[in-house]
Amino acid sequence: MKRLVAYYSLTGNTEEAAKKIAKALDADLLRLETIKDMPKSFAARMIVGGGQVAFKHIPKLKPIDVDIDSYDEIVLGSPIWNSKGVPAVNAFLTDKTAATKVTSLFFSSGGGKVQKGLNAITKLLPNLKYTVSLLDRKHEDSRDNDAKIEGFINSLKS
């Protein structure tokens, strides 16, 4: 089975998990990037990112250099912002082929309140089978992330 791990990461949390998952599954890795970068400062990121989420902004992505059709399955990684999915991931999922190939989702949050964001994303994923919720590495309970990732990978391998 040919797999792709596609992800968006602003601060590196989702990227860290994506790399672990891709390595364990011998999958290709695709970082989703918007044409317009987010601001550097945390406060500006909160304002801009929060506004994009609130207004359901769909940004333009940098060109994707892989053939989505060549993959049997996509494992998707996303942070949760303001209890919702992030605009870059929503932009990726406008490609119905990509959305159909996503069977697994891993997501990270700073506070653990992810259900609303998960509900929003899963509506776009008709073949979703597996999910795992991770916490920002600054969160006190993030020490459980590696065990959660291992369980997620084992589910995908079975």
Side-chain angles (χ1 to χ4, degrees):
M1 175 174 300
K2 187 172 179 186
R3 289 186 174 122
L4 175 68
V5 175
Y7 71 96
Y8 176 80
S9 186
L10 183 60
T11 62
N13 285 299
T14 307
E15 180 174 43
E16 185 178 299
K19 287 179 177 179
K20 288 177 183 178
I21 293 166
K23 183 177 179 181
L25 295 175
D26 193 27
D28 293 337
L29 197 59
L30 171 65
R31 180 183 178 104
L32 302 173
E33 298 179 89
T34 56
I35 290 175
K36 186 173 181 181
D37 291 334
M38 290 293 284
K40 299 290 183 208
S41 81
F42 179 77
R45 285 179 176 178
M46 294 294 288
I47 293 167
V48 172
Q52 288 180 350
V53 168
F55 293 106
K56 299 180 181 173
H57 176 70
I58 302 292
K60 291 187 189 287
L61 296 177
K62 289 183 180 177
I64 293 174
D65 61 354
V66 298
D67 178 12
I68 297 296
D69 287 329
S70 71
Y71 292 93
D72 301 308
E73 182 174 79
I74 297 174
V75 179
L76 182 63
S78 176
I80 297 291
W81 291 353
N82 195 22
S83 300
K84 295 184 177 77
V86 297
V89 170
N90 292 336
F92 178 68
L93 295 176
T94 61
D95 177 340
K96 298 303 178 201
T97 299
T100 300
K101 290 186 179 234
V102 174
T103 60
S104 308
L105 173 67
F106 62 99
F107 48 95
S108 57
S109 71
K113 297 179 181 175
V114 298
Q115 195 59 50
K116 190 175 180 182
L118 178 60
N119 290 345
I121 294 172
T122 57
K123 287 180 187 175
L124 306 173
L125 305 173
N127 296 312
L128 186 66
K129 297 176 189 168
Y130 306 105
T131 64
V132 67
S133 175
L134 307 171
L135 290 167
D136 184 296
R137 60 184 165 246
K138 295 177 187 172
H139 194 283
E140 64 186 42
D141 291 330
S142 68
R143 64 186 173 279
D144 298 333
N145 283 354
D146 284 339
K148 289 179 178 180
I149 290 170
E150 187 176 326
F152 180 68
I153 291 165
N154 289 336
S155 294
L156 294 171
K157 286 182 173 180
S158 62

